[in-house]
Amino acid sequence: MRATCFALAALFALAPHGVLAQAPPATDSLPALTLPEAVDLARRSNPTFRQAVGALDLNGVERRAALTSQVFPNVDINLFQTGYGGNLTRRAFDNFGRPIEDPQAEWVYNSSTSQGISVSWDIQGLSFLNALKRQDRTNADRVLALATRGWVLESEVRRRFLDALEQRELLDVEQAVREARVVDLAAAQRLFDIAQRTRVDVLTAELQVAQQDQNIQQQARTYEQALLALRSYIGDVDLGPFEPAPLEFEVFDPSAFEAQALVQLALEANPGLREARAGVSGAELGVQEAKEAWFPTLGLRFDYGRLAQTIDGDAFLDFSPEPNDWQSSFRIFVGVPLFNDFFQDRAELARAQVELDNQEETLREQRLEVDRQVRTELINLNNQYQTLQLASRSQEIADEAVRLAREEYRIGTRTTEQLQETVTQAADARRQVIQARYGFADALLALEEVMGRRLPPELRGGT
């Protein structure tokens, strides 16, 4: 009996008391996908981001079209145009507008051939400059949309990547808990063999192992769903099975952060604020465009070419450069549409001014919202850090409680149910540490999303 007790004591002494404090390493059965690789794949495959990239192809061609249609004169070239036709008129009008018939109506034929060039330029005030500004504004909006979508894409990939890592660590915890349950089951069986425990204790330990197998299966499904969400957002149909590579992220005390300094950074880089500023610029341009209706118009036109015409078919396909066939003209048109659609023009100008006022109010509202969001996310970040500190301390206490509980179980002062309850509490404490650590990473990511940039290291307190 004493030999058996010594054997049991050795068994408990060698048992892995810290199994809940350190999860077993993940297997390398699948290729590892790093976070930079995932972001790069998403930039090349995510449908929403690819649409924004494709829209940039319009910038160059639309800018050239704006130059040729709004700034440069229009040039029309007629290389060759010829025709032959006939006309039969049986009824016409006399000098007093009365219809009369031609008793000798017959076909009259004519032909013509022409070549020439026509140059025209029509402007109204500074409309051509405003047209270029409008096109530049459109191009800048596309660039801004691409930058915004790129920022959102990087943040979303990072969030889903972290979620997959969190679910895998939780799966490792469940597997580690099962190993601890198996150790407890072996100990209960040995104590039952020497009549130190009853069959109920063995069955209770077996039930704990079976229930832990269910927890592992459920957590494995959750991990698979997290991987599926990451794969779906990346959008690469050729991406094979993978595991997220371990990611080292910094946990630091954010209490030294200055909220006002973060707000100032956010006011410069927040995507929503940048879009609001672009809206104000577009509305200011809209006011200038509305004022164009009041400006004088100027039209210039120059024509030079050849026209050969005859009342028969001699001018059809006529290539002979007769001097009398050549002609040229130059015209200047100046208009003052000050009173054309006066009230309609005033209404358009008023609408443009109201739109500008609304865009400025939207910008002011967005600034207030960014200020609130930055301060709110900073509070959440501090809260997550404190939660992590408390969870880490709770895990230390729980691990020590498991160690003492096993010793008490060995000497018979603690029942199987009490031991299993202590092990469950330790497992819960480990889960809470993992969730709090990734909660801190999510809170930091949420703060950086509002700011529109990654936090510079010099702003991180205690780092």
Side-chain angles (χ1 to χ4, degrees), residues 57-67 135 138-139 142:
D57 295 338
L58 297 175
N59 283 5
V61 64
E62 289 187 355
R63 185 71 161 81
R64 291 188 293 271
L67 283 172
Q135 186 58 51
T138 300
N139 294 351
R142 293 194 183 107

Side-chain angles (χ1 to χ4, degrees), residues 377-393:
E377 297 301 338
L378 182 57
I379 293 174
N380 293 337
L381 185 63
N382 279 282
N383 181 66
Q384 286 295 331
Y385 180 76
Q386 296 298 327
T387 300
L388 177 57
Q389 298 303 306
L390 294 175
S392 300
R393 177 55 183 161

Side-chain angles (χ1 to χ4, degrees), residues 356-410:
L356 175 59
D357 295 340
N358 291 340
Q359 289 294 335
E360 289 177 345
E361 289 300 320
T362 300
L363 176 60
R364 190 172 71 89
E365 180 183 21
Q366 188 68 25
R367 289 174 62 91
L368 294 174
E369 179 63 17
V370 168
D371 186 288
R372 184 195 67 81
Q373 288 181 346
V374 169
R375 297 179 188 277
T376 299
E377 297 301 338
L378 182 57
I379 293 174
N380 293 337
L381 185 63
N382 279 282
N383 181 66
Q384 286 295 331
Y385 180 76
Q386 296 298 327
T387 300
L388 177 57
Q389 298 303 306
L390 294 175
S392 300
R393 177 55 183 161
S394 298
Q395 181 186 347
E396 295 175 359
I397 297 173
D399 290 341
E400 179 65 15
V402 168
R403 186 185 67 82
L404 297 175
R406 292 186 186 280
E407 294 180 357
E408 294 177 0
Y409 185 74
R410 174 176 57 82

Side-chain angles (χ1 to χ4, degrees), residues 122-127 291-299 333-338:
D122 299 309
I123 61 173
Q124 183 175 14
L126 300 177
S127 60
K291 293 178 180 179
E292 292 176 3
W294 304 82
F295 293 162
T297 60
L298 173 65
F333 170 80
V334 178
V336 184
L338 183 61

